[in-house]
Amino acid sequence: EVLVNLRRGNGLTKILTRLENLSHILVWAGGSALRVELPRLRLSFTAQKQRLYCDQHRGFWLADGVLETQAETCEGSVGISVEDLLAQWGG
C-alpha cells in the first residue's frame, strides 16, 4: 500500500475536505484496493463496487454526484455534516 497525495485535488478531495482538513485525511492505495481514513473523526472507508463504504457503519457510503453538486451551491456555508455526506442503501 502507498499513501496517495490528495493535494492535486479531484472530486474525492472536494468531498473529503468538507468533512476534515486535508492534513488529517489519509488515502491508501494498493493494487485495486483504496482505503480512506479520517482518524480524528474515527471513520474509515473502503472502496467496493465503485463506492466508498464506511467501515464503522455498515450499509453507509460516501455520497457522490448529486450531493457534490448541492455542496458546490453552498460554497459559502460553514460546512456539511458527516450525516449529509453519508448515503444509505434504501433511503
Side-chain angles (χ1 to χ4, degrees):
E1 287 186 321
V2 295
L3 191 59
V4 177
N5 181 0
L6 291 178
R7 291 180 189 250
R8 295 184 183 175
N10 59 31
L12 178 61
T13 303
K14 286 181 181 180
I15 292 172
L16 292 174
T17 55
R18 293 199 171 271
L19 290 172
E20 180 64 282
N21 187 302
L22 189 58
S23 63
H24 296 284
I25 299 171
L26 301 171
V27 177
W28 301 93
S32 62
L34 180 71
R35 182 172 166 82
V36 175
E37 297 177 3
L38 306 171
R40 293 193 323 170
L41 298 176
R42 296 184 181 166
L43 289 173
S44 60
F45 299 87
T46 304
Q48 298 173 8
K49 302 177 186 173
Q50 298 183 344
R51 285 191 171 145
L52 284 171
Y53 284 91
C54 185
D55 297 328
Q56 290 72 29
H57 302 283
R58 178 175 255 187
F60 285 85
W61 63 87
L62 271 180
D64 52 8
V66 174
L67 189 58
E68 187 175 347
T69 303
Q70 291 174 353
E72 288 172 1
T73 63
C74 303
E75 200 67 36
S77 67
V78 172
I80 294 177
S81 69
V82 172
E83 294 84 8
D84 291 337
L85 283 175
L86 290 177
Q88 184 179 27
W89 179 80

